[in-house]
Amino acid sequence: AATPPLLWSDVTRIVVHCLVVPDPAMPATRALQSALCERVRTIAAQGAPVPVEVVGFGDPALIAPGTAVILVHASVEPAGPNTRLLAFSVRPFRASAEQTSTLFGAAPRAATIPVSGVASAALDKALGAALSETLPWLARPEGPRVIR
């Protein structure tokens, strides 16, 4: 097993912070942002060694010692009459860690979601894959991989 990056050393709390780029044609951007953050929190909390919670803009937890932040940056576009395409990236951040910064997070991903919310098997699969590249306790074991 690989040693987790130093960013995760002595973490006492993990917070999730999301930003969905507002689309003027979509008035429910804020609700989408909250729902996305909650989906990330739910997946990240599975087997987490410390509490995982969602925080908003300006929350002091974003720079608190012992706190690691899961940053989720997303945008959404119409993809049909009943679906939208949500593209996102996930990156860890820790303000108190000097030599532990992560330059690149998980590979950007996209999934279709219904117009009415974020509940989507495709989104859960994409979030799970991104978080498994970011969080040591969700990391997939190394081994043979399919070459495409």
Side-chain angles (χ1 to χ4, degrees):
T3 303
L6 291 175
L7 179 136
W8 301 106
S9 179
D10 300 322
V11 167
T12 58
R13 177 173 139 184
I14 296 168
V15 297
V16 177
H17 186 64
C18 299
L19 172 65
V20 175
V21 176
D23 178 350
M26 193 178 82
T29 300
R30 200 164 284 199
L32 174 64
Q33 183 170 286
S34 295
L36 177 62
C37 257
E38 188 52 38
R39 289 301 311 141
V40 170
R41 189 209 63 77
T42 298
I43 295 168
Q46 296 171 7
V50 296
V52 180
E53 59 191 82
V54 174
V55 298
F57 290 96
D59 192 307
L62 293 168
I63 58 170
T67 300
V69 183
I70 301 170
L71 297 170
V72 181
H73 192 191
S75 66
V76 65
E77 297 289 331
N82 297 318
T83 60
R84 297 177 287 179
L85 181 67
L86 181 96
F88 67 92
S89 64
V90 174
R91 184 175 72 85
F93 169 78
R94 189 165 175 193
S96 62
E98 288 180 16
Q99 296 177 338
T100 60
S101 62
T102 300
L103 297 178
F104 299 99
R109 289 185 166 72
T112 55
I113 59 172
V115 170
S116 60
V118 298
S120 157
L123 179 61
D124 283 352
K125 181 178 178 182
L127 286 172
L131 291 170
S132 73
E133 292 176 11
T134 307
L135 306 175
W137 59 94
L138 294 180
R140 295 183 179 144
E142 294 294 325
R145 297 184 186 190
V146 176
I147 299 174
R148 298 177 195 213

